[in-house]
Amino acid sequence: MCVCTKHQNPKLMLDALGGTCSFDLYVLMAKVVCDTSNKWCMLHRCEKCPGKPNLDSFLLDKLTDEDEIKFSQWVSVDRAELVTHVLPREEFIDKLAQSIDDLTAHHVITKSQSAYYKEARDALSPNQALITLDFAENYSFLVQDAIQGYHWVNDQATLHPFSVYTTKGHVSYCVISDHMAHSSIAVHAFRTAVLEDLKAKHPEINEIIYFSDGAGSQYKNFKNLTNLLHHESDYGIKA
């Protein structure tokens, strides 16, 4: 199960029930679909699935002792933070059931993506490489025995790791930069540096499969798709 808001928030709601909860997310997802192993059910493409009303009835039968329920939720605005909520029983049940109903499609997609990633990595040919890439948390510089005023200095560096898999094994890179904008332009510059070294060490590589997260400002945008389109002319390697 991935560690994301869609998975963690309903899990936190179940955690808030403590000993009164004898079921997990998988049990609840099974209440809104015919078959959790059927992708069409999980993607809400099946007209026979019982849907959210069935889960509402199940939860109303199970949660009979609470008038109000206190629970935590991850909320993202500029940054993610854990916020405490208190809701009446009926509102809590409606929110939990809606979260589970929204979760099914996300759950089957993440499972499919994970399976495809493993399949692609295991099936690499000698001329292929698989590269995963993602920005890490910025590194904040610390000075030993710094004076008190240094506390207000926020010098940082961008860290961008790359993991490269080939049939010969695995190697990791990390680009360290004073360019603080986490953008598709930075990704292109960092990737260029990595590919120069990779081509020198693995001249047999003529095709690359990239995996990244879905950050719109960094990877999942038209600029990166344009870079992908011109990848072979830029680097002499298909992607």
Side-chain angles (χ1 to χ4, degrees):
M1 189 176 295
C2 70
V3 184
C4 67
T5 303
K6 285 184 179 293
H7 272 102
Q8 291 303 307
N9 277 347
K11 184 175 181 296
L12 286 169
M13 295 181 80
L14 293 184
D15 291 344
L17 298 174
T20 62
C21 175
S22 59
F23 39 84
D24 59 18
L25 294 183
Y26 298 102
V27 171
L28 298 187
M29 283 192 285
K31 298 296 181 182
V32 298
V33 298
C34 306
D35 182 1
T36 55
S37 64
N38 186 319
K39 69 176 182 179
W40 301 118
C41 291
M42 297 290 278
L43 292 170
H44 303 298
R45 306 286 178 83
C46 172
E47 296 180 358
K48 297 179 181 179
C49 286
K52 179 177 174 287
N54 187 56
L55 180 55
D56 285 329
S57 299
F58 172 79
L59 291 172
L60 284 168
D61 288 339
K62 292 291 184 181
L63 306 179
T64 57
D65 299 330
E66 297 83 0
D67 294 324
E68 289 186 334
I69 301 172
K70 183 178 180 179
F71 61 100
S72 299
Q73 295 282 270
W74 286 106
V75 176
S76 296
V77 184
D78 294 330
R79 59 184 180 183
E81 58 180 322
L82 205 55
V83 177
T84 300
H85 299 271
V86 179
L87 286 178
R89 169 176 166 268
E90 290 78 8
E91 290 185 31
F92 176 87
I93 287 173
D94 182 67
K95 182 177 178 64
L96 176 56
Q98 188 61 58
S99 296
I100 297 297
D101 195 43
D102 294 340
L103 176 62
T104 58
H106 174 75
H107 183 73
V108 74
I109 288 170
T110 54
K111 282 185 65 178
S112 298
Q113 289 175 335
S114 178
Y116 175 66
Y117 172 80
K118 186 177 186 304
E119 178 185 324
R121 195 177 69 182
D122 292 345
L124 287 174
S125 64
N127 66 317
Q128 288 180 314
L130 185 150
I131 298 180
T132 61
L133 58 161
D134 190 12
F135 281 93
E137 183 179 350
N138 286 350
Y139 177 80
S140 297
F141 293 100
L142 302 176
V143 177
Q144 188 174 4
D145 299 326
I147 64 171
Q148 191 174 20
Y150 188 78
H151 171 77
W152 305 106
V153 177
N154 296 312
D155 289 337
Q156 293 183 322
T158 290
L159 302 181
H160 192 301
F162 294 79
S163 289
V164 181
Y165 297 88
T166 68
T167 55
K168 295 180 179 179
H170 164 252
V171 62
S172 293
Y173 293 86
C174 185
V175 175
I176 304 172
S177 173
D178 60 359
H179 183 74
M180 301 308 298
H182 294 186
S183 64
S184 55
I185 296 171
V187 172
H188 181 71
F190 299 162
R191 178 175 59 189
T192 298
V194 169
L195 289 181
E196 287 177 359
D197 188 74
L198 186 65
K199 287 172 65 177
K201 293 177 179 176
H202 296 277
E204 74 280 4
I205 298 296
N206 61 21
E207 183 177 353
I208 292 175
I209 303 168
Y210 288 105
F211 279 86
S212 72
D213 66 11
S217 62
Q218 301 160 8
Y219 307 110
K220 197 169 70 174
N221 57 52
F222 75 93
K223 294 176 183 177
N224 256 324
L225 291 176
T226 302
N227 289 337
L228 194 66
L229 179 66
H230 295 284
H231 196 282
E232 187 171 10
S233 60
D234 289 341
Y235 305 113
I237 301 175
K238 295 178 183 178

